[in-house]
Amino acid sequence: MSHRVCPWWVGYFLASPLRRLVHNPTTILRPFVSEGMTVVEPGPGMGFFTMELARLVGRPGRVVAIDVQPKMLMELRRRAGKARLLDRIDARQGPGDGMGLDDLKGQADFVLAFAVVHELPGIERFFAEVSTVLKPGRRLLLAEPHFQVSAREFAATLQIADQNGFLVDSRPAIQWTRSAVLVRV
Ligand SMILES: C[S@@+](CC[C@H](N)C(=O)[O-])C[C@H]1O[C@@H](n2cnc3c(N)ncnc32)[C@H](O)[C@@H]1O
């Protein structure tokens, strides 16, 4: 896979309201997220999904969004402030070679990894790290863009997930993606 980080300015397109015609965040996320949850979102970009995650976890919940690009995080925080959701979003800059999630061990109820895993330098490390933060029995929604990640590459990613303690629970149909819901055993 490419491991090329998407340019920061692409973040504006990804966070455009027009994208809702293809990816409705409420429809995609509501089956997984409820009030009070702690949700981790690696690679949030400018927060297209983060805002809906924050609405769904409500005031008692929190969303930890980790991106490697400061410009993505700056715009995410701006949008969250405007939507009055910043109080429940912890937007962090990640170290790049990992997610820097040591303080969240065993605390996450749900992880969303949307269009990010193919950009990471180490997929094994990603799943190993996520398996330490996710509570047993809880789910990770993995979605990769189908025009950037082939069926074969996605199958290889699922195999790495399996080796790190994740089972495939379902394969949701999300437009323009190859997706899987993984359960941390
Ligand atoms: C294609 S964008 C997807 C953004 C968002 N998930 C969405 O679907 O709109 C990928 C995001 O992952 C971030 N990213 C890439 N490598 C990363 C890393 N090593 N750690 C954290 N974030 C990373 C990029 O900066 C970018 O914001």
Side-chain angles (χ1 to χ4, degrees):
M1 273 183 272
S2 68
H3 310 317
R4 210 153 30 108
V5 176
C6 98
W8 65 267
W9 49 266
V10 173
Y12 287 104
F13 293 99
L14 292 172
S16 154
L18 279 180
R19 186 176 170 196
R20 297 179 77 90
L21 298 172
V22 184
H23 293 151
N24 182 319
T26 315
T27 313
I28 293 172
L29 299 171
R30 203 168 27 203
F32 306 105
V33 187
S34 53
E35 193 167 277
M37 279 187 169
T38 294
V39 172
V40 174
E41 187 190 14
M46 293 182 179
F48 179 74
F49 289 105
T50 320
M51 302 308 142
E52 187 60 23
L53 289 170
R55 280 186 201 101
L56 290 168
V57 299
R59 275 189 193 284
R62 67 173 167 152
V63 180
V64 183
I66 310 105
D67 208 287
V68 74
Q69 299 192 76
K71 284 186 174 159
M72 295 288 195
L73 292 169
M74 218 187 311
E75 179 61 14
L76 184 156
R77 287 194 195 100
R78 192 193 68 77
R79 287 171 190 243
K82 205 170 155 201
R84 296 180 183 273
L85 293 167
L86 199 50
D87 59 334
R88 55 195 93 157
I89 297 174
D90 173 357
R92 307 178 175 182
Q93 187 174 356
D97 56 350
M99 291 291 148
L101 299 174
D102 284 352
D103 61 319
L104 291 172
K105 281 192 177 145
Q107 291 184 37
D109 298 293
F110 176 66
V111 175
L112 174 69
F114 208 105
V116 60
V117 170
H118 65 285
E119 294 191 7
L120 303 178
I123 296 181
E124 293 85 357
R125 180 168 179 170
F126 171 76
F127 285 111
E129 219 174 337
V130 169
S131 80
T132 68
V133 300
L134 205 52
K135 296 174 185 169
R138 298 303 181 115
R139 294 177 290 185
L140 155 67
L141 173 58
L142 171 71
E144 292 281 71
H146 71 171
F147 46 89
Q148 281 171 304
V149 177
S150 68
R152 202 168 159 176
E153 286 169 331
F154 193 68
T157 299
L158 292 183
Q159 206 169 352
I160 295 170
D162 179 83
Q163 287 156 6
N164 283 279
F166 289 93
L167 288 179
V168 176
D169 179 57
S170 60
R171 294 290 302 268
I174 301 174
Q175 278 192 78
W176 297 354
T177 75
R178 302 184 199 285
S179 298
V181 176
L182 305 174
V183 178
R184 150 102 155 80
V185 287

